[in-house]
Amino acid sequence: MKRGQKRPDVFNWLHKAYLDGPQTSSDTLKLHGDGYLVIVAGSDTTASTITHMLFYLACNKPLTRKLQAQLDKLDELKDETLRDVELLDACINETLRLCPAVPAGVQRETPEEGIHIGDRYVPGKTIVKVPMYTLFRDPRSFEQPNEFIPERFTTRPELLKDKSAFIPFLTGSYACVGRRLALMEVRRAIAAIICRYDIALGPDQTEEGFLDGKVDAFTLVAASLSLKFTRRHQSKS
């Protein structure tokens, strides 16, 4: 990028909408709130996903070795090549299913005329939300819903009974604007780590201690995690 050249980002659109409006004190507060939201949505969520995925890989050595073998075949760890590694994306999806970045979901308001959701009518101006944590562990949509089985997204589709129920980045016109960036970051970080290191739980780390310690603070906050990293002979950047 040339010096001084500007590239529009998410905040550009938020700021433009603010400048084009009456710029009331309420508008200013909303702009500040949206700014904080963009920062949190682009950092806390990704960090939580990477942490939980490393935990699941540390608990499943055969799966990690299989993923390492596929990544070792790549010439470079670039997004153009990483997004073609189905097992990597399957592990990311399964992590997002069991540990969604926003467990309770986000709020939406129904239109003034109300809306039918399935066979139920919801009045207008009603706040609704879909709790991701509950939805993604619903046995009507997922076989063995509490088990980490990435193959449900690849070679064992029978374990994914209702694909439409898996919406970690939401869906429709209000879906997460940072979806592609988030996936690129997680792919790159995980690939770089497990290509360089074998990972295992630390000596005093228990699976229950980590899983039971996570907190829903709008975004999912991971518990403290102790991992052991052992350098591999084969690594790439």
Side-chain angles (χ1 to χ4, degrees):
M1 185 184 300
K2 295 181 180 178
R3 185 178 181 85
Q5 183 178 351
K6 295 182 179 180
R7 176 184 296 176
D9 57 20
V10 174
F11 194 76
N12 280 94
W13 301 106
L14 297 174
H15 192 222
K16 182 179 184 303
Y18 171 76
L19 294 177
D20 291 344
Q23 301 180 33
T24 64
S25 58
S26 177
D27 291 336
T28 302
L29 287 174
K30 290 177 181 177
L31 180 66
H32 291 172
D34 285 338
Y36 287 127
L37 179 60
V38 168
I39 293 171
V40 171
S43 56
D44 290 20
T45 53
T46 304
S48 174
T49 301
I50 291 171
T51 302
H52 285 94
M53 186 167 169
L54 287 174
F55 164 78
Y56 284 117
L57 291 175
C59 294
N60 194 327
K61 287 183 172 58
L63 173 65
T64 303
R65 285 194 290 268
K66 184 177 180 180
L67 182 56
Q68 286 171 327
Q70 293 186 14
L71 293 172
D72 287 342
K73 295 177 182 178
L74 302 179
D75 294 328
E76 292 183 88
L77 300 182
K78 301 189 300 183
D79 190 58
E80 291 81 357
T81 54
L82 291 174
R83 61 189 176 204
D84 291 331
V85 182
E86 289 188 352
L87 183 57
L88 177 59
D89 271 7
C91 290
I92 294 173
N93 284 338
E94 188 71 340
T95 300
L96 289 170
R97 187 185 69 81
L98 289 174
C99 303
V102 184
V106 295
Q107 295 181 344
R108 294 288 184 263
E109 185 179 74
T110 59
E112 290 187 11
E113 65 274 17
I115 188 173
H116 280 90
I117 301 177
D119 57 358
R120 183 182 295 274
Y121 173 75
V122 181
K125 297 293 183 179
T126 301
I127 299 297
V128 297
K129 65 187 332 184
V130 177
M132 301 292 186
Y133 188 90
T134 304
L135 176 65
F136 294 168
R137 292 173 183 255
D138 190 332
R140 293 172 297 180
S141 301
F142 305 94
E143 288 283 357
Q144 298 175 252
N146 296 316
E147 301 299 320
F148 184 80
I149 310 175
E151 291 81 4
R152 74 175 77 242
F153 293 99
T154 54
T155 57
R156 300 181 65 186
E158 70 277 5
L159 299 181
L160 183 57
K161 295 192 286 186
D162 184 359
K163 190 174 182 180
S164 68
F166 182 65
I167 48 171
F169 296 96
L170 302 181
T171 186
S173 58
Y174 288 95
C176 176
V177 69
R179 175 180 178 273
R180 291 186 179 181
L181 176 60
L183 290 174
M184 180 181 70
E185 290 175 332
V186 176
R187 288 186 191 115
R188 185 66 177 82
I190 292 294
I193 291 171
I194 69 169
C195 279
R196 288 183 174 90
Y197 302 99
D198 290 321
I199 55 177
L201 296 181
D204 299 321
Q205 180 68 62
T206 64
E207 295 184 26
E208 295 78 10
F210 176 71
L211 292 175
D212 293 344
K214 58 182 179 290
V215 176
D216 179 0
F218 177 64
T219 56
L220 185 63
V221 179
S224 176
L225 177 63
S226 173
L227 293 175
K228 177 183 177 182
F229 294 86
T230 304
R231 187 80 183 192
R232 300 178 68 219
H233 293 300
Q234 182 166 351
S235 64
K236 61 184 71 179
S237 59

